[in-house]
Amino acid sequence: DADVTQTPRNRITKTGKRIMLECSQTKGHDRMYWYRQDPGLGLRLIYYSFDVKDINKGEISDGYSVSRQAQAKFSLSLESAIPNQTALYFCATSDTGTGGGGYTFGSGTRLTVV
Amino acid sequence: GENVEQHPSTLSVQEGDSAVIKCTYSDSASNYFPWYKQELGKGPQLIIDIRSNVGEKKDQRIAVTLNKTAKHFSLHITETQPEDSAVYFCAALLYNFNKFYFGSGTKLNVKP
């Protein structure tokens, strides 16, 4: 089984719909992150969480919300999806803030908003 | 915050040649610099990293160099192979801010 599992792998949804992307990890890491990847723009941070009671906005949090249900689970919601949220979404985990070992990424969720 | 710039955006080399990807960062407080490889349909995977107290690190055909004075670091791949074809991302960790800043990625194509 993968260390960081994202579901679904692919999703097509309509404008205005609410959608949730889920992430679970077996790494035992405290820190979890949601990134968005668009062609030519690299990886941009949406939200991050350093423990179950900690939620922080990243650089592009507008239109998104998150929930850290447990140490191992971190979900990303689009309250009312719009076409420019079409992108590849990655969940990542890390062990410490000093960067030991870097991130472990999930395989991504390809979201299309029509 | 930190700003990481990565060049080139695309790189095409012949199999067996070397490939170099360069990144610059803006904040001298950054102290950890990982490189990630992303293959088609997969998430990025850590391939090598370097800390600010080290100038160079090697792992078989891959090496990373860091120039703290100039605030730039580079990925070097020697004897490239077709399976090296992927998108490569550099990143910088800003000390005490506990999150990574990524470059925009380099698409490497190794031609057989």
Side-chain angles (χ1 to χ4, degrees), chain B residues 26-98:
Chain B
S26 59
D27 198 319
S28 57
S30 290
N31 65 342
Y32 174 69
F33 307 92
W35 284 89
Y36 292 86
K37 176 183 181 182
Q38 185 180 19
E39 296 176 322
L40 198 63
K42 297 183 179 179
Q45 287 195 307
L46 179 70
I47 56 171
I48 196 167
D49 55 14
I50 192 167
R51 297 190 182 275
S52 57
N53 59 347
V54 175
E56 183 177 5
K57 184 177 178 180
K58 287 183 179 180
D59 182 4
Q60 300 182 341
R61 297 186 296 108
I62 295 173
V64 56
T65 58
L66 171 65
N67 184 326
K68 286 171 53 180
T69 303
K71 294 204 281 288
H72 67 70
F73 57 112
S74 300
L75 178 71
H76 305 254
I77 306 174
T78 59
E79 301 173 18
T80 54
Q81 301 168 3
E83 52 264 39
D84 294 329
S85 295
V87 177
Y88 292 81
F89 290 98
C90 63
L93 179 70
L94 189 59
Y95 181 71
N96 276 345
F97 283 83
N98 296 320

Side-chain angles (χ1 to χ4, degrees), chain A:
Chain A
D1 289 341
D3 293 324
V4 180
T5 302
Q6 290 184 236
T7 55
R9 289 297 310 273
N10 291 282
R11 180 73 182 267
I12 300 174
T13 192
K14 293 184 178 180
T15 298
K17 293 290 187 181
R18 184 178 189 276
I19 183 170
M20 179 182 290
L21 309 183
E22 299 192 18
C23 176
S24 62
Q25 54 120 341
T26 58
K27 299 285 288 184
H29 288 168
D30 290 328
R31 292 174 165 81
M32 298 186 74
Y33 310 79
W34 275 103
Y35 279 88
R36 168 177 172 161
Q37 185 176 38
D38 297 277
L41 293 178
L43 292 155
R44 294 183 292 167
L45 184 62
I46 306 173
Y47 271 96
Y48 60 104
S49 168
F50 287 163
D51 64 42
V52 175
K53 297 181 181 179
D54 177 74
I55 299 290
N56 304 281
K57 292 183 177 181
E59 56 183 309
I60 55 164
S61 58
D62 288 348
Y64 301 94
S65 63
V66 292
S67 173
R68 185 80 183 267
Q69 300 95 325
Q71 188 210 29
K73 295 183 183 295
F74 192 37
S75 60
L76 175 72
S77 294
L78 287 68
E79 298 301 327
S80 179
I82 55 177
N84 76 358
Q85 291 177 312
T86 293
L88 189 55
Y89 290 85
F90 286 103
C91 174
T93 72
S94 71
D95 190 18
T96 69
T98 56
Y103 282 166
T104 300
F105 283 89
S107 297
T109 294
R110 184 168 296 280
L111 177 66
T112 303
V113 183
V114 298

